Amino acid sequence: KQEVTQIPAALSVPEGENLVLNCSFTDSAIYNLQWFRQDPGKGLTSLLLIQSSQREQTSGRLNASLDKSSGRSTLYIAASQPGDSATYLCAVRGIQGAQKLVFGQGTRLTINP
Amino acid sequence: NAGVTQTPKFQVLKTGQSMTLQCAQDMNHEYMSWYRQDPGMGLRLIHYSVGAGITDQGEVPNGYNVSRSTTEDFPLRLLSAAPSQTSVYFCASTQDRVTGELFFGEGSRLTVL
């Protein structure tokens, strides 16, 4: 059974820092991995989607990497801003059970001005 | 760009009442799904549909019904609400259920008393 873990559960950093959020998964047989952002009381906003054949994807100040063989993904946020404060979720779509995404519990990120 | 639209945003029910959560998407996506999000449990798949007229159960389907009469709409029905169904419900859609990026609605917050 696929399990997705995100550590740490919460992270607080000063504005301007570069930071890395971690995601690990137990079964490397995946189609893709997706990173989301969730603001309090809101829905999930898709940030980046990495297919299993890809090593990384970039969007603006965000860069996500995927190491399928080791079951790890990282989300790198450059020059963090207070507006980046949110919960960040990663989710994998496994080859087995492809009808659903398996989500991590998320990392709650706070950027302090 | 409406994307995935959910109504209502908030609802309070009494135990035993029934109701329908509405979901509509304007992206012509074939695949639609419902998740619930609970503290400590993350997001879990309730039901999904791979196209009009085709639905299937996810990991927590009990107490919920769905139908898919059109590509655009995928309502979720609670037949007899229970306090255990107090949750935040998210509808999501994608063009390709294996490789596609999943887009979420803003959520419907349901409280069952």
Side-chain angles (χ1 to χ4, degrees), chain A residues 45-111:
Chain A
T45 300
S46 178
L47 297 174
L48 289 163
L49 171 69
I50 311 178
Q51 303 295 344
S52 63
S53 59
Q54 298 174 320
R55 294 300 300 269
E56 65 178 58
Q57 283 285 341
T58 299
S59 176
R61 294 184 293 108
L62 305 179
N63 176 277
S65 68
L66 175 64
D67 184 343
K68 198 175 64 167
S69 61
S70 69
R72 300 169 92 172
S73 176
T74 61
L75 180 67
Y76 174 83
I77 302 177
S80 59
Q81 303 169 359
D84 294 329
S85 298
T87 296
Y88 290 80
L89 296 152
C90 71
V92 298
R93 189 178 296 281
I95 291 175
Q96 196 163 6
Q99 70 276 10
K100 69 177 184 182
L101 289 184
V102 179
F103 284 83
Q105 294 286 332
T107 294
R108 189 171 69 254
L109 176 65
T110 302
I111 307 298

Side-chain angles (χ1 to χ4, degrees), chain B residues 75-97:
Chain B
L76 178 71
R77 279 183 286 276
L78 283 72
L79 304 176
S80 178
S84 61
Q85 294 178 303
T86 294
S87 186
V88 182
Y89 292 86
F90 290 102
C91 180
S93 74
T94 181
Q95 180 53 44
D96 186 310
R97 65 180 169 131

Side-chain angles (χ1 to χ4, degrees), chain B:
Chain B
N1 249 1
V4 180
T5 303
Q6 292 183 234
T7 56
K9 287 187 167 44
F10 301 94
Q11 183 72 47
V12 178
L13 289 178
K14 294 181 180 178
T15 297
Q17 287 185 319
S18 63
M19 77 157 299
T20 299
L21 301 179
Q22 301 291 344
C23 175
Q25 52 90 10
D26 62 358
M27 298 174 281
N28 201 31
H29 287 170
E30 290 293 326
Y31 180 86
M32 297 184 73
S33 53
W34 279 100
Y35 286 81
R36 59 179 288 174
Q37 185 176 35
D38 302 288
M41 303 292 290
L43 283 109
R44 294 176 291 170
L45 181 68
I46 305 171
H47 283 287
Y48 66 98
S49 169
V50 299
I54 306 169
T55 64
D56 207 345
Q57 297 181 348
E59 52 187 316
V60 288
N62 292 342
Y64 307 96
N65 270 3
V66 292
S67 60
R68 184 93 180 271
S69 56
T70 67
T71 299
E72 294 78 21
D73 300 299
F74 190 43
L76 178 71
R77 279 183 286 276
L78 283 72
L79 304 176
S80 178
S84 61
Q85 294 178 303
T86 294
S87 186
V88 182
Y89 292 86
F90 290 102
C91 180
S93 74
T94 181
Q95 180 53 44
D96 186 310
R97 65 180 169 131
V98 173
T99 62
E101 185 176 11
L102 198 62
F103 296 94
F104 280 79
E106 287 288 297
S108 296
R109 188 175 298 271
L110 176 67
T111 301
V112 182
L113 302 176

